[in-house]
Amino acid sequence: MKTLKKLTAVLLAVVMTLAMASVSFAVAAESDIPTLIIYGRKNQPFYKADGTPVADTATPCGMSREEYIKKWIKPVLKELAVGVATDNYDKYVDTLIECARPIYEEEVLPASGEADNGTHIKWDYQKNMSTAVHGGKRCYVFYYDWRLSPVDIADQLDVYIERILAANGADKINITARCLASNMAMAYVAKSHEGAYGHPFRVANLAFDTPALAGYITVGALMSGSIHFDADVIDRFVTSYLNNNDLFEDESMELLASTLVTFINHAKVLGLTAGMVNKIYKKVSDKLISGIALVSYGRYPSYWSMISDEYYDKAVAQIFNTPELAEEYAGLIAKANEYHELLSDTNEETGRPKYADLLLELKEEGVNTAVFGKYGVATVPMFDGCEITGDTRGTVTETTLGATATTVYKKFSSAYMTKAEANGTIQYIAADRTVDTSTCLFPDSTWVMKNVAHDVFLDSTYALINDFFASDGSLTVEESSRARFTDYNNGDLKPVETADNGTWTKNPLVLLLKLLTALFKVFVNMLNKQ
């Protein structure tokens, strides 16, 4: 009798375990198609071969970034001063490289572009199956070593997706990917569509949140050495950035800071500094760009996937600028080339990148794509084209796969608006006249948010993505609950309204008035707080 009771208890435990497993892994919800979400970089911590954690790049050598900068600022400035005095910047460049090396040395990949030094993430795509709630729906999540080539990650994705489909009894999956993950997802889509995995194509529909498919100017221009400093561009960036970020509790301090930068620029101080930086950069660029890249992000195949065709060949030549480097990093270069040839290279017949042609082909086959971009601020003021409105990481043209956009403090001209009216595309232009999505790859399923930081991903966006998937990808902007252009103010998304985009001027009388006004406001606020 006791044996029977024990056997019954064991069987009950097995049944309960299987029931819990089915709850955990079968999450197809209202449709029979499960959803997989893939996050961008920094999605998992790294470990060494012996299982100990890899040093966090946010705390190099166990220091805060502030402490680390304080440690290196004197030797860097010392060598810079010597370089200016002697016109020989070799030691200055060497010092900068040695400053960067400890930050990344435990995380970077070997010259092969493989994690064959034993560094790894602990999450195992062959054993683990993770879920998370996004937009009110439980979805599967895929974690991965974000340093690796998207082409290699694609093979892992295939294994994981097959496990998901088996757990749900499904034959299709919806995929949401954000930032760098769009490249991982697209590599899987391309290989799967080509029949590389020996089974039918599995993707039902796709959604990309600020995708890196078109590349980011901050990666492509930097890695290719396409750097240029312009005083006016820096001035406008600072003014725009201060106006769009709560760096000061006191708004008058923001006005004072931005006005002072403009005032200094007008006095030619900033211009002289930018001119000097450009002069020095030309002397050090070849050694500096290559040296910094090869102790940091240049050693990640994933970052090479975020370089558009416009910059790619120049970046390869810039980073691996000697026969010895090209030979040493042949494995890494091969991995970078493999992704580029698969998706980023321009199709000479269509004039589009290969990823764009594939997505359009998939649309013809019934696989639809939604895209979510961001705008409102300029990118880092170091490159030509950096003033196109974006989210500081990439321009809105990049993250929407093709929107036409203005630079900061500019609007589309009256002639542009009149032409759009005549062409019937006026509804694709934001009310603030800065972004036009009629030129996007998917103009009717592209939503754009203003004043949202690149690394902020809103749950309301995923609720909309869930609606898009529930409609089998037929949901358009006109039919959705969200306007084509929304502004992120105080945590709420509201339709973009006609608004002043701000002004920037070098008129000395206007600048003096702004500066005096800013100083007065700061003084009044200080008195009120006492």
Side-chain angles (χ1 to χ4, degrees):
M1 190 67 176
K2 289 183 179 180
T3 302
L4 182 59
K5 286 183 178 179
K6 287 182 179 180
L7 181 60
T8 302
V10 169
L11 289 173
L12 182 59
V14 170
V15 170
M16 290 298 293
T17 300
L18 291 174
M20 290 300 293
S22 66
V23 170
S24 300
F25 297 129
V27 293
E30 66 273 2
S31 73
D32 294 326
I33 301 177
T35 295
L36 172 65
I37 289 185
I38 314 173
Y39 303 138
R41 73 184 193 96
K42 296 289 185 183
N43 57 76
Q44 288 280 286
F46 293 119
Y47 295 86
K48 302 175 190 177
D50 62 6
T52 58
V54 166
D56 187 352
T57 56
T59 54
C61 303
M63 304 179 185
S64 68
R65 282 292 173 100
E66 291 76 15
E67 291 171 328
Y68 195 77
I69 291 172
K70 186 177 180 180
K71 172 186 175 181
W72 280 95
I73 193 68
K74 285 186 178 180
V76 167
L77 289 178
K78 174 188 173 183
E79 296 303 338
L80 175 58
V82 172
V84 172
T86 63
D87 202 33
N88 183 332
Y89 295 93
D90 286 347
K91 287 188 177 180
Y92 169 62
V93 173
D94 290 340
T95 304
L96 283 174
I97 293 170
E98 289 311 306
C99 172
R101 189 189 306 277
I103 298 175
Y104 302 99
E105 63 183 348
E106 291 189 4
E107 184 180 279
V108 292
L109 295 173
S112 63
E114 303 268 8
D116 47 18
N117 58 355
T119 54
H120 61 284
I121 64 171
K122 288 187 175 180
W123 191 86
D124 189 338
Y125 67 95
Q126 300 181 83
K127 297 177 181 178
N128 300 105
M129 194 171 285
S130 299
T131 64
V133 176
H134 286 280
K137 177 181 177 181
R138 183 161 293 279
C139 310
Y140 290 95
V141 179
F142 174 73
Y143 297 104
Y144 57 97
D145 186 335
W146 57 265
R147 303 169 300 174
L148 301 179
S149 166
V151 179
D152 293 336
I153 295 299
D155 298 341
Q156 298 180 14
L157 254 176
D158 179 66
V159 173
Y160 191 63
I161 287 171
E162 290 302 300
R163 293 181 61 216
I164 292 172
L165 297 179
N168 287 271
D171 58 8
K172 292 282 186 180
I173 193 163
N174 290 313
I175 299 178
T176 298
R178 66 193 196 194
C179 190
L180 173 61
S182 62
N183 300 27
M184 308 295 171
M186 203 62 207
Y188 163 76
V189 168
K191 294 186 72 172
S192 182
H193 193 255
E194 291 174 354
Y197 300 119
H199 56 66
F201 187 62
R202 301 298 199 192
V203 179
N205 293 293
L206 293 158
F208 297 122
D209 195 345
T210 56
L213 288 173
Y216 289 148
I217 189 174
T218 47
V219 180
L222 183 62
M223 297 264 277
S224 64
S226 305
I227 295 175
H228 177 75
F229 297 94
D230 180 278
D232 289 347
V233 171
I234 295 170
D235 183 354
R236 284 190 290 267
F237 173 81
V238 171
T239 303
S240 171
Y241 192 82
L242 287 170
N243 288 339
N244 286 280
N245 293 273
D246 297 325
L247 298 185
F248 300 98
E249 291 183 9
D250 186 346
E251 290 184 2
S252 59
M253 286 298 294
E254 292 185 4
L255 176 62
L256 177 60
S258 62
T259 306
L260 280 173
V261 172
T262 305
F263 207 78
I264 290 169
N265 179 28
H266 180 67
K268 303 301 182 184
V269 176
L270 189 54
L272 288 171
T273 305
M276 182 179 291
V277 170
N278 283 319
K279 182 179 178 181
I280 295 172
Y281 174 71
K282 288 181 180 179
K283 292 178 178 291
V284 306
S285 59
D286 286 348
K287 184 178 180 182
L288 179 65
I289 296 298
S290 177
I292 294 291
L294 292 179
V295 299
S296 60
Y297 291 122
R299 295 258 289 273
Y300 304 150
S302 60
Y303 265 64
W304 286 91
S305 76
M306 292 191 286
I307 301 177
S308 67
D309 197 33
E310 174 186 0
Y311 295 110
Y312 186 78
D313 289 340
K314 187 178 179 183
V316 172
Q318 178 74 46
I319 304 300
F320 310 105
N321 54 29
T322 67
E324 293 76 17
L325 285 174
E327 181 178 357
E328 180 182 356
Y329 289 93
L332 174 61
I333 295 170
K335 288 188 175 296
N337 286 341
E338 185 179 21
Y339 177 89
H340 184 77
E341 292 166 4
L342 180 67
L343 289 168
S344 298
D345 200 8
T346 300
N347 185 328
E348 294 182 3
E349 293 183 5
T350 65
R352 291 186 294 259
K354 290 182 178 178
Y355 76 81
D357 283 336
L358 177 53
L359 286 172
L360 290 173
E361 181 182 347
L362 288 171
K363 185 174 178 63
E364 291 294 318
E365 297 173 6
V367 179
N368 296 297
T369 300
V371 180
F372 297 83
K374 297 171 183 174
Y375 79 106
V377 293
T379 55
V380 180
M382 293 171 59
F383 325 110
D384 289 334
C386 66
E387 283 200 288
I388 296 174
T389 184
D391 63 5
T392 71
R393 187 74 55 81
T395 69
V396 69
T397 301
E398 293 166 337
T399 63
T400 58
L401 308 184
T404 301
T406 64
T407 59
V408 291
Y409 297 121
K410 298 289 185 180
K411 294 182 180 181
F412 290 125
S413 66
S414 297
Y416 189 96
M417 300 298 290
T418 300
K419 185 177 179 181
E421 191 82 59
N423 292 340
T425 59
I426 195 73
Q427 71 271 22
Y428 295 99
I429 299 178
D432 59 12
R433 290 170 52 182
T434 59
V435 180
D436 178 359
T437 58
S438 68
T439 55
C440 288
L441 198 60
F442 302 106
D444 293 317
S445 56
T446 297
W447 290 261
V448 193
M449 293 173 287
K450 184 178 183 180
N451 298 327
V452 183
H454 175 85
D455 55 357
V456 173
F457 298 94
L458 304 178
D459 199 54
S460 60
T461 295
Y462 296 104
L464 181 54
I465 290 173
N466 292 340
D467 291 342
F468 178 77
F469 288 151
S471 74
D472 195 24
S474 65
L475 181 69
T476 66
V477 173
E478 299 294 338
E479 299 166 340
S480 76
S481 58
R482 180 187 291 185
R484 192 184 308 273
F485 298 99
T486 46
D487 195 347
Y488 189 62
N489 286 322
N490 301 317
D492 294 325
L493 279 175
K494 298 180 179 179
V496 171
E497 298 176 350
T498 303
D500 181 9
N501 292 331
T503 57
W504 178 87
T505 179
K506 294 176 72 173
N507 183 299
L509 293 176
V510 174
L511 287 176
L512 182 58
L513 180 61
K514 285 179 66 179
L515 183 59
L516 291 173
T517 302
L519 285 169
F520 179 74
K521 286 186 175 181
V522 170
F523 179 68
V524 170
N525 285 343
M526 288 175 63
L527 290 177
N528 288 337
K529 290 178 180 178
Q530 291 188 12

